[in-house]
Amino acid sequence: MPRFGMLIDLNTCIGCHACSVACKNEFDVPLGVFRDTVKVVEDGEYPNAGKHFIPVLCNQCEDAPCLNACPTDAITRLPNGEVVIEEGDCNLNRFCMAACPYDAIYEDPQTQTASKCTFCEHRTSKGGEPACVEACPTGCRVFGDLDDPDSKISRMASDNEIDVWKPEANTQPKVFYVDPKRALPLIAVDGVQVDQSTDLKGR
Ligand code: SF4
Ligand code: SF4
Ligand code: SF4
């Protein structure tokens, strides 16, 4: 059984939001909430200012606080490591939303349940790629088996220095970033589900 992960190369993300739109389309995600979004952060000052695009989604954590917090056992881990919410078992008590350090879970106004990225389990369990990966025009999102040393994601991970967002949360994320400009630490913790520029003076 594979152990799926995603690697996002921030060298080549152009902030086009094709991933977010594809995800919305794939799951008919309502207005105002997101499974995948692209954070925009700026740093430095003219003439050395920089702008960085950082796609964020559920990290499919190996040690997932959301899963442990759910009192109705609506959140489960599949054999391939993907963390999913069974809508039928969710009574929207929001414990998972409070527990997730990444603000990756939202309240679906249509189903009145908690919801989040599934790593496109309906596609990946059949050998396909997540909708966001398929849609990315620069190929900066790579999905695959972390336990297969010959998979593209494993090779990219070994060929590059990789980081995770908020390592101090100790959740063992399975979304990895190539982040040579050290942009990840610049993301504000709150507001992950909406696109926004982060004022570095406020961090
Ligand atoms: S990122 Fe949040 S929602 Fe996703 S597995 Fe980790 S704790 Fe759960
Ligand atoms: S893996 Fe699927 S559910 Fe997750 S962000 Fe990408 S398109 Fe959305
Ligand atoms: S589709 Fe690819 S290049 Fe565009 S914002 Fe998403 S990750 Fe970045």
Side-chain angles (χ1 to χ4, degrees), residues 13 34 37 47 89:
C13 176
F34 298 84
T37 189
D89 295 329

Side-chain angles (χ1 to χ4, degrees), residues 27 35 72 74-75 84-92 106 108 110-116 118:
F27 296 95
R35 294 181 176 209
T72 68
I75 306 182
V84 296
I85 301 175
E86 286 296 335
E87 285 184 358
D89 295 329
C90 174
N91 63 8
L92 197 55
Y106 62 88
D108 189 315
Q110 291 169 342
T111 59
Q112 286 296 300
T113 64
S115 193
K116 71 172 190 69
T118 60

